Amino acid sequence: MAQPLMPKATAVWLIDNTGLSFRQIAAFTELHELEIQAIADGDVGQGIVGLDPVANGQLTKEEIARCEKDPREFLKMAKTDLPRPRAQSKGARYTPVSKRQDRPNAIAWLLKHHPELSDAQVCKLIGTTKDTIGKIRDRTHWNSANLTPRNPVTMGLCSELDLEKQVVIARSKNPEKIARDVEPDPLPEELQINPEPDYPGKKTEEKKEEPKTSDYMEAAENLFRS
């Protein structure tokens, strides 16, 4: 059964204006029976204005009266000629303006470490275009010389869960494209540890020269001669 519009608001109206049981209201609104009870007790849904399902054509008064007489019956949605709203597919992931300059580095990282990902998957992960991906792959991007592969997860462009999900899907479809023996990326400059500079007056430790094997042999011969 299709879920009514604004199920919680519909549940509030049915609780206040009908003698239907919590079980019947829960079945119609597709909410849990305990949640319906919490709404009736005022623990949940405070401030929600009830929505009349009769006025918007989702129920009829006769249907409500039928179920009020028999708690074992369930409400049936009224037939209507009005089209049901369709769920719209999500578009490309939105990337904050402050992080958009990092996307080329993230694309370079994905192309290097996960070539099995399709261009559509990369677009979905970090919110880019196929044209940009193609230019970075062909090294025709205007900033190709300065690109440094960076993990999009560490830069906050996508979550680790989303990346793993797309990788699993891609590897099942394109196992021959999985990258193997990929060299690790160099650490970013901010994470690199530079040696401490010598300060004035610092004494350098002189490396003691270890005795050679010939010195030991000569000392042993002198011992036997004596």
Side-chain angles (χ1 to χ4, degrees), residues 3-170:
Q3 187 181 39
L5 299 174
M6 302 177 66
K8 285 189 178 181
T10 302
V12 169
W13 190 92
L14 292 173
I15 291 170
D16 294 339
N17 298 276
T18 68
L20 296 169
S21 67
F22 293 159
R23 181 166 170 263
Q24 290 172 314
I25 297 174
F28 179 72
T29 58
E30 296 186 7
L31 299 174
H32 197 280
E33 187 174 345
L34 293 177
E35 188 173 3
I36 300 298
Q37 184 175 354
I39 293 174
D41 294 339
D43 298 332
V44 177
Q46 294 182 357
I48 296 179
V49 179
L51 179 65
D52 186 355
V54 178
N56 58 27
Q58 296 181 96
L59 280 177
T60 62
K61 293 181 179 180
E62 293 76 15
E63 181 66 13
I64 294 176
R66 180 182 70 85
C67 292
E68 285 178 329
K69 294 178 181 178
D70 189 352
R72 296 173 298 178
E73 294 292 334
F74 292 104
L75 293 167
K76 295 181 180 180
M77 186 82 71
K79 294 182 179 180
T80 177
D81 296 333
L82 297 176
R84 298 287 299 176
R86 294 182 299 177
Q88 296 182 352
S89 59
K90 295 182 179 180
R93 178 185 293 273
Y94 172 77
T95 305
V97 177
S98 60
K99 295 183 179 180
R100 291 180 185 177
Q101 60 183 1
D102 297 328
R103 285 189 297 192
N105 292 331
I107 296 171
W109 189 92
L110 291 173
L111 294 178
K112 176 182 179 182
H113 292 272
H114 297 290
E116 68 272 17
L117 290 173
S118 66
D119 290 356
Q121 288 178 303
V122 176
C123 292
K124 186 176 182 180
L125 281 171
I126 59 177
T128 184
T129 63
K130 292 183 179 181
D131 180 63
T132 302
I133 298 172
K135 289 180 179 179
I136 294 175
R137 180 185 288 112
D138 301 337
R139 302 191 64 81
T140 56
H141 189 268
W142 66 272
N143 198 29
S144 292
N146 300 319
L147 292 183
T148 304
R150 297 284 300 276
N151 191 327
V153 175
T154 60
M155 291 191 294
L157 293 174
C158 68
S159 67
E160 186 174 0
L161 181 62
D162 290 340
L163 176 58
E164 290 180 355
K165 180 180 178 181
Q166 295 299 329
V167 168
V168 170
I169 295 173

